[in-house]
Amino acid sequence: PMPSCAVSGDRNTIRNCLLAHASGAGLTVIGDDNLVENCIIRDSCWSGSLKYGALRLSGDRNTARRNTLYNAGNAILHFAGKDNRIEYNHVHNGGRLCRDVSLVYTQLPRCSGSVIRYNWVHGCQTEGFRGKGRGGMGIRGDDQTRGLIVHHNVVWDCGIHGIVVKGDGNRVVN
């Protein structure tokens, strides 16, 4: 699978775009100090691989703001890097082809200083891990997450957990 769009570099702005029907990632942004704003990214990741989110950010100080992201096989918004901002997004209906999944996903100490705030996140219902029980999560800071701040999000209809953060030095409030 291929992303429908990929941007590599620093200080880029992707604004007011519609990206749809990508077998891989909808939009992949690699680099620092990039902004993805007011975009609609939908119907992506037909394989269910975590590698292909609707929006994937890799780098430091990137911002995803006021986007509508929906209908994906795995995590919808996946980011890695320090001091990223994920804010004012509407993220829904993901995890359609997998079981151990969240709609907004990050992991490891490399996400330190990142903030997930003021998002609406919903509609992650799966069969659960190993096909047993209800699954799906809204926002997830996975294994060894450090220094992640999650606040003022509204999360609903996500099967097992709304927000899960693993690791040390994280803050989840309001």
Side-chain angles (χ1 to χ4, degrees):
M2 297 295 296
S4 65
C5 186
V7 175
S8 181
D10 301 331
R11 295 173 301 284
N12 295 295
T13 298
I14 299 96
R15 182 178 288 135
N16 300 327
C17 295
L18 168 63
L19 301 166
H21 304 290
S23 62
L27 173 62
T28 300
V29 178
I30 300 169
D32 300 330
D33 302 300
N34 295 297
L35 171 64
V36 179
E37 183 173 48
N38 201 40
C39 294
I40 297 172
I41 305 173
R42 63 181 181 86
D43 301 302
S44 61
C45 184
W46 301 346
S47 69
S49 170
L50 183 57
K51 184 177 179 181
Y52 304 117
L55 175 57
R56 186 174 176 96
L57 302 173
S58 182
D60 298 336
R61 298 173 308 281
N62 292 308
T63 300
R65 178 187 307 136
R66 292 187 174 89
N67 299 291
T68 300
L69 312 167
Y70 63 99
N71 295 348
N74 201 303
I76 292 180
L77 198 161
H78 183 179
F79 71 94
K82 294 180 186 244
D83 301 316
N84 288 291
R85 297 292 176 264
I86 309 301
E87 58 191 15
Y88 302 102
N89 299 291
H90 185 189
V91 181
H92 60 101
N93 296 337
R96 296 175 147 207
L97 297 172
C98 56
R99 297 180 179 180
D100 183 18
V101 62
S102 64
L103 299 181
V104 177
Y105 182 83
T106 192
Q107 66 177 350
L108 303 173
R110 65 183 174 205
C111 73
S112 177
S114 293
V115 179
I116 302 171
R117 61 185 176 194
Y118 309 115
N119 299 285
W120 285 3
V121 180
H122 63 96
C124 188
Q125 292 284 341
T126 70
E127 293 180 18
F129 192 62
R130 296 190 183 108
K132 297 179 181 177
R134 294 175 4 148
M137 292 167 263
I139 298 171
R140 183 179 189 178
D142 209 353
D143 298 330
Q144 301 176 21
T145 298
R146 304 284 190 271
L148 180 65
I149 301 166
V150 181
H151 69 87
H152 292 93
N153 297 282
V154 179
V155 182
W156 73 96
D157 190 31
C158 288
I160 192 165
H161 297 295
I163 300 172
V164 173
V165 179
K166 301 176 184 178
D168 301 318
N170 302 298
R171 282 190 15 216
V172 179
V173 297
N174 294 318

